[in-house]
Amino acid sequence: MYQIYPRSFADGNGDGVGDLVGMRERIDHLVDLGVDAVWLSPIFVSPMADFGYDVADYCRVDPLFGGDEAFGTLLTALHERGIRVVLDWVPNHSSDQHPWFVESRSSRSSPKRDWYVWRDPAPDGGPPNNWLAQFLDRPAWTLDEATGQYYLHLFLDRQPDLDWSNPDVEAAMHETLRHWMERGVDGFRADVVHLIGKGRELRDLPEELRGMTVVAIDEPFTHELLRRIRSVLDASPQQAMMVGEVYLLQPGQVVRYLGAGDELQLAFDFRTVHVPWSADALRRVIAANQAEFAEPAWPTFVLSNHDQPRHRTRFGSNARARAAAVMSLTMRATPFLFAGEELGLEDAVIPAARVVDPDGRDGCRAPLPWTDAPDHGWPADAWLPFPPDAGRLAADVQRRDPTSMFSLYRSPLRLRRERAVLRRGSFELLDTGAELIGWRRVHGADATVTVVNLSDEPVDLPAAAAGVLLASSVAGRDRLEQQLAPDEAIVVDVAA
Ligand code: NOJ
């Protein structure tokens, strides 16, 4: 699954912001790379206070991205090339400009008042409970002077939380899913979906958890809601898929959102977006992910997204990012790639005057360079600066170079397509010593071993990796050597 941040992918109309026409012009890039599906960060009508995660109309595409028509054309074009399409559904909150909220806010007796979470002030006039919003470190409540009540917003004050304990809200949100499924969309990524079942009680959090409000809410009601959402998805002819952003970080918490196979199909495990380049740390995170998402559950594997520094930046070198590609694409999991990682992009350096995100996440959202011309294929000044080395890393340059990051990504992606063992094979972590991590996957008569050297020194190839080299993160390597180079990852066919 390949995540596209639409503002930053490709600009078709020359306004400096990526759009759906631009995306359509770059479908060859996705086909050459070899991804099965794309997930588009939100493209719906939005005032863009949180760049689309503040939705003002769940059933219309924002004109900035080309509107509904451009989406229809793009969807058809992607399907024709065998690529499925996943939209980003933002169920926990809408924009304050959504007509539902405008009406809700208009008076205490508005028929939509209880579509959102309104409460009287605390006795001292302050917020109704001690929750903090995720951004800007301020209360999760804003007082509406005109009606004298506070509304809840776990993110910006321009992102009021919907009240999912109201059956009318639930029904309206189910309709938004049906709308897109009827248009042929294959699935959804559900934004902070663990928050929707927060219910009506809204008790204070213990003082030490206040600053972590959005990772502290983990309520049984959400599971009830997810089972009903799943029924809506399953009723579609395409059996639409949902992957949940369940931003919970305690062991064992996230997998519960798959229920008994009757809630989410997939859920992100974010431990991997925070893990440093260390054999110990990676081994621990991979072991926990595999153990918690053992059969019949199924894990995801994600190293980068639009909210965190890119792993090329986090891991600190190109060699490590190359090894990470082999690691991610040979894992027992659905790997999620973040557009630009296949080019080895680092986060852009954003001068203070160009910071636009309220939470400082602009660096990883920098535009993709397509060419080595000065404009990198973006006809007007792009909305954010390009990442470092944009000319050298441009997609058109890398496509011609068999040693490039782009060419590397194609190789394990192709292997994964060709070999069921890399998709469905069992998974066993190997004891490969302190500096290596390694695992074996078996499917019928096929078996592969992946080994990653996380040290700065060459390390002897472990006996478990004897076999035929299928891919290496080191450019030009076409057979097994006695030693793994520093930061080298290999995948080996060990069946025989
Ligand atoms: C998680 C999204 O990934 C992030 O970008 C967004 O700001 C918040 N949810 C709020 O919707």
Side-chain angles (χ1 to χ4, degrees), residues 50 53 90 93 135 155 159 189 191-192 245 306-307 361 365:
D50 189 15
Y53 286 95
V90 188
H93 44 265
F135 305 141
F155 294 88
Q159 294 169 294
R189 176 263 189 189
D191 189 65
V192 287
E245 184 196 24
H306 64 294
D307 290 330
R361 297 164 293 185
R365 299 175 176 179

Side-chain angles (χ1 to χ4, degrees), residues 164-177:
W164 276 78
S165 58
N166 179 341
D168 293 342
V169 168
E170 187 179 357
M173 291 305 286
H174 286 179
E175 268 317 302
T176 67
L177 292 173

Side-chain angles (χ1 to χ4, degrees), residues 92-354:
N92 178 67
H93 44 265
S94 72
S95 159
D96 64 340
Q97 301 304 306
H98 196 296
W100 298 340
F101 187 72
V102 173
E103 191 173 335
S104 182
R105 179 175 219 164
S106 66
S107 85
R108 286 195 186 210
S109 58
S110 149
K112 291 239 164 26
R113 187 66 167 181
D114 57 1
W115 280 46
Y116 292 84
V117 185
W118 291 98
R119 293 290 183 276
D120 289 332
D124 67 355
N129 74 11
N130 71 353
W131 293 4
L132 289 186
Q134 173 73 2
F135 305 141
L136 311 176
D137 205 19
R138 40 157 308 197
W141 298 91
T142 290
L143 181 65
D144 178 59
E145 304 274 349
T147 57
Q149 285 189 310
Y150 281 88
Y151 66 90
L152 177 69
H153 53 87
L154 290 172
F155 294 88
L156 297 174
D157 58 354
R158 301 190 56 190
Q159 294 169 294
D161 278 43
L162 285 155
D163 187 351
W164 276 78
S165 58
N166 179 341
D168 293 342
V169 168
E170 187 179 357
M173 291 305 286
H174 286 179
E175 268 317 302
T176 67
L177 292 173
R178 288 193 195 98
H179 174 89
W180 292 111
M181 292 188 301
E182 280 161 17
R183 273 152 193 78
V185 160
D186 301 287
F188 302 91
R189 176 263 189 189
D191 189 65
V192 287
V193 74
H194 64 295
L195 299 176
I196 63 176
K198 65 185 92 59
R200 295 218 150 122
E201 280 194 39
L202 314 182
R203 281 185 297 258
D204 275 347
L205 282 165
E207 207 40 45
E208 67 278 11
L209 290 181
R210 263 188 96 203
M212 301 172 56
T213 302
V214 306
V215 294
I217 296 172
D218 180 18
E219 295 290 330
F221 181 47
T222 303
H223 298 279
E224 195 180 319
L225 293 171
L226 284 173
R227 285 191 288 275
R228 295 202 285 264
I229 288 171
R230 178 61 175 269
S231 305
V232 173
L233 299 169
D234 284 352
S236 65
Q238 66 270 46
Q239 303 247 302
M241 184 274 316
M242 185 171 279
V243 52
E245 184 196 24
V246 178
Y247 205 83
L248 296 171
L249 299 167
Q250 298 304 314
Q253 259 185 319
V254 174
V255 70
R256 288 193 292 102
Y257 286 76
L258 309 187
D262 55 356
E263 298 183 28
L264 298 165
Q265 279 93 340
L266 295 173
F268 293 121
D269 177 351
F270 287 114
R271 288 174 289 199
T272 44
V273 303
H274 300 296
V275 73
W277 190 250
S278 127
D280 252 11
L282 270 163
R283 196 181 301 114
R284 245 181 290 119
V285 161
I286 291 169
N289 174 273
Q290 291 294 329
E292 290 169 25
F293 290 84
E295 296 277 345
W298 184 255
T300 57
F301 197 82
V302 50
L303 293 171
S304 290
N305 64 28
H306 64 294
D307 290 330
Q308 304 292 339
R310 286 182 174 277
H311 66 270
R312 166 67 183 81
T313 298
R314 185 157 45 99
F315 291 159
S317 83
N318 200 53
R320 291 174 178 180
R322 291 178 68 100
V326 173
M327 168 169 80
S328 160
L329 295 170
T330 61
M331 195 60 71
R332 172 188 165 266
T334 298
F336 279 73
L337 309 180
F338 178 47
E341 71 171 78
E342 78 281 19
L343 303 178
L345 300 184
E346 290 182 73
D347 283 4
V349 178
I350 313 288
R354 294 198 62 183

